[in-house]
Amino acid sequence: MELRQACRAAGIGVVVVSGHDGQPRLHRAVPALSARLVVSLGAPIEVHYDGRTQNAQAVVAGLMRPGVATPATTLRSQQPMAYAELSPSTLQRLTGVPLSEVDAGGVSADAVLPWVNSLCEELADHPVGHREAVMRVRLLEYLHRAGRGKGPEDALRTLGVIGVSGGTASVEELARDAHLSPRRLRYIMRRSLGVTPKFASRVARLASAVSRAGAGADSWAQVAAESGYHDQSHLVRDFRDLMNTTPTAWLDEEGRNLQGWQRPAP
């Protein structure tokens, strides 16, 4: 099986190896229902989340928590970074840590992944063009060694349905799909994942809106309507609550990094 296909089948999504040129700046994470592993091949990573700052050579991050905006990372000049998007179930298999115990601010990866320092060293020893493939291969190997494991199946399956629907499915629809009562589904997701179906749906809707805006849109009103928001002001509120910024300010920060970007009309 081709390497990227094998990774997708194993719950390993986007893998990127990059560096930042220019003055240090903050990079605001986009809300997501996925987890991630970020490793630095240079200076430690500086992550700001929930009023605290941590520095680590590698960070494992989980799901967002209600009441806390997405984390921000300080990008330093000439600091090579490797990033891997992981499904929540893949993160739990790799770490063996309950998903409810790892939030979006992350934990130092060496606390839960004993092999992460050797991975950093190996990536640094390879040419830039080979690092993505090396990271993919190693993650597949570590997953194989970890075994299948048993996660919170109902919660993870519902999280997947929320992601596919872009957060537009109601809690009642999600509960029927899971053959559970809405109350039972809320309890299971909160206990095992640390989030409720309603909050996960908010995250999925905003992720969908950010993706639409990044691909190019005529207006923020169009983005809001196509992403399941009541109106543009509803979208703006979620930007403020979940990203601590506005749609326009976010595009000013990240527009240079978006493919096919064009500024939506106010």
Side-chain angles (χ1 to χ4, degrees):
M1 185 184 295
E2 192 263 344
L3 182 57
R4 288 175 181 265
Q5 291 178 327
C7 284
R8 283 195 294 271
I12 301 168
V14 174
V15 177
V16 176
V17 179
S18 63
H20 168 63
D21 293 323
Q23 295 297 315
R25 71 178 185 89
L26 285 181
H27 168 67
R28 199 184 309 269
V30 172
L33 297 182
S34 57
R36 62 194 184 281
L37 168 64
V38 186
V39 303
S40 171
L41 309 185
I45 303 165
E46 183 179 275
V47 180
H48 310 271
Y49 185 72
D50 196 16
R52 68 184 190 272
T53 299
Q54 72 160 317
N55 291 273
Q57 201 64 35
V59 175
V60 171
L63 300 175
M64 290 179 61
R65 296 293 182 246
V68 186
T70 53
T73 304
T74 300
L75 300 179
R76 298 185 176 92
S77 182
Q78 305 302 314
Q79 181 184 27
M81 306 273 283
Y83 165 97
E85 181 185 32
L86 308 171
S87 72
S89 60
T90 295
L91 175 69
Q92 182 159 313
R93 284 177 59 195
L94 281 173
T95 64
V97 176
L99 293 164
S100 58
E101 296 183 11
V102 184
D103 64 26
V107 298
S108 180
D110 59 9
V112 291
L113 300 174
W115 42 262
V116 75
N117 290 329
S118 62
L119 175 63
C120 290
E121 293 172 1
E122 183 178 11
L123 291 172
D125 286 341
H126 279 79
V128 174
H130 294 174
R131 289 172 180 169
E132 178 190 336
V134 170
M135 190 165 187
R136 288 182 181 277
V137 168
R138 294 293 173 261
L139 287 174
L140 287 172
E141 290 177 349
Y142 295 129
L143 272 172
H144 179 72
R145 295 176 194 171
R148 293 301 305 175
K150 184 172 178 59
E153 295 179 5
D154 288 331
L156 289 171
R157 185 175 183 278
T158 298
L159 198 68
V161 172
I162 291 171
V164 170
S165 72
T168 59
S170 69
V171 175
E172 288 72 21
E173 291 170 328
L174 294 169
R176 282 197 299 271
D177 183 79
H179 303 289
L180 297 168
S181 70
R183 181 178 179 181
R184 181 64 180 170
L185 180 62
R186 282 191 289 268
Y187 170 77
I188 288 174
M189 289 190 66
R190 184 185 295 111
R191 182 188 63 183
S192 58
L193 304 182
V195 297
T196 63
K198 183 176 181 180
F199 180 75
S201 296
R202 288 186 70 194
V203 172
R205 268 197 309 275
L206 188 55
S208 176
V210 167
S211 177
R212 291 176 188 277
D218 292 334
S219 68
W220 283 112
Q222 177 191 349
V223 170
E226 293 179 350
S227 304
Y229 285 92
H230 298 308
D231 51 32
Q232 185 175 336
S233 62
H234 185 194
L235 170 63
V236 172
R237 284 197 301 274
D238 265 7
F239 255 94
R240 290 189 182 280
D241 289 347
L242 301 181
M243 295 185 72
N244 197 29
T245 189
T246 65
T248 301
W250 173 76
L251 279 178
D252 287 340
E253 292 175 350
E254 299 296 332
R256 74 193 81 179
N257 300 320
L258 301 174
Q259 298 296 320
W261 170 75
Q262 65 184 60
R263 181 181 295 275

